[in-house]
Amino acid sequence: MSLELREVRKVFKNYGVETVTVENFNLTVEKGQFVTLLGPSGCGKTTTLRMIAGFEIPSSGKIILDGKDVTNEPPNKRNISMVFQSYALFPHMTVEENIAFGLRIKKMTSSEIKQKVKWIMDIVGLIGLERRRPEQLSGGQQQRVALARSLVMEPSVLLLDEPLSNLDAKLREAMRIEIRRIQKELNITAVYVTHDQIEAMSMSDLVVVMNNGKIMQVGNPFEIYARPRNEFVADFIGKVNLIDAFVEDDKDEKLELRCDIFYNKFFSISKMFQAKKGQKVKIVIRPEAFRLSPQGIDNSNCIKGKVLSSIFVGAAVECEIQVSNSVIKSVISNPIENAIPDIDSEIKLYFSNESLWIISSEK
């Protein structure tokens, strides 16, 4: 393993009042993994990153780096580099000088520095910009310089604190691909902090969902999205329908459910959450799991309702549908082929059992 956090806790004291920002945090990061800490503002993800970097000392617990306990070590004693949200480039230095700064602090020879700077500039795509200063660079180029300055130190772990938040949407998308490409090419261990779900889902090997200083779930992007462990994760990651249901029976790892808005009982396999007969649960179903039901096809797993809203977003149409006393979110793909539903029109949608997931009704 490259990095391990064991029972890490952080408490801030202000005028005698204690505020717990990180609680019972346990995480193991393998060599070469890209791990994202994801959660709303104030959930403790940046504090966790700062503790890994050494800018904050845990109130309790341990931080292990490459098998060594670095919990109380200062930042300069840890083989860790960090890319900040603001980039923190030296305005009076050129691109080349910014990247070489850390190497000069390490007292490397001029020839070694020149060789390493050229190597990393080639990897991050900065060749030809050596003599420019930060104000002469675009936002994306500044971000690459900040990344190169951290990577050239060849750290055991690279930390990134919302590095794309200052970029426009199109550039953000391009830089997500670039950062992931560079990380995989160098096989470097990375811990990334963001509140952007798309960033987390598209870049990560492992996603750590946090709320109120605690880990809600750890898993790969598919597990986090399709198999949420609780209501917070299901609701925080993308759009979702959370539907109240009642367990009629449980047989051989299968649950027979009763739900007011569906016209038939159906079976669904639940692995993470083992519900029992007579228990109240919630059905998790993503909007894109619904499909337009072809005319003349009678599918037992269907809903009928009235279209309340219909928003064209290019690749899909986002709809809200009144079904009984509930409102269901649905995403209809390929609107060029499938007609955009009219407001107040009747619509019939179907879904498969495989698209359902069951979680506890308790928050």
Side-chain angles (χ1 to χ4, degrees), residues 47-59:
T47 299
T48 302
L49 200 74
R50 290 175 61 83
M51 286 191 287
I52 296 171
F55 300 135
E56 299 285 353
I57 302 299
S59 302

Side-chain angles (χ1 to χ4, degrees), residues 17 50 56 62 74 78 126 214 238 242:
V17 178
R50 290 175 61 83
E56 299 285 353
K62 291 185 177 181
R78 309 183 187 199
L126 287 171
K214 297 181 180 179
L242 294 168

Side-chain angles (χ1 to χ4, degrees), residues 50 55 82-88 146 149 159-163:
R50 290 175 61 83
F55 300 135
M82 189 163 177
V83 179
F84 297 92
Q85 184 176 353
S86 62
Y87 309 144
R149 186 177 59 182
L159 307 179
L160 303 105
D161 187 10
E162 302 201 46

Side-chain angles (χ1 to χ4, degrees), residues 261-277:
I261 72 168
F262 296 133
Y263 305 114
N264 297 280
K265 298 173 184 177
F266 51 86
F267 290 93
S268 177
I269 297 175
S270 176
K271 295 179 181 177
M272 279 190 180
F273 175 65
Q274 296 295 332
K276 299 297 182 183
K277 182 178 180 179

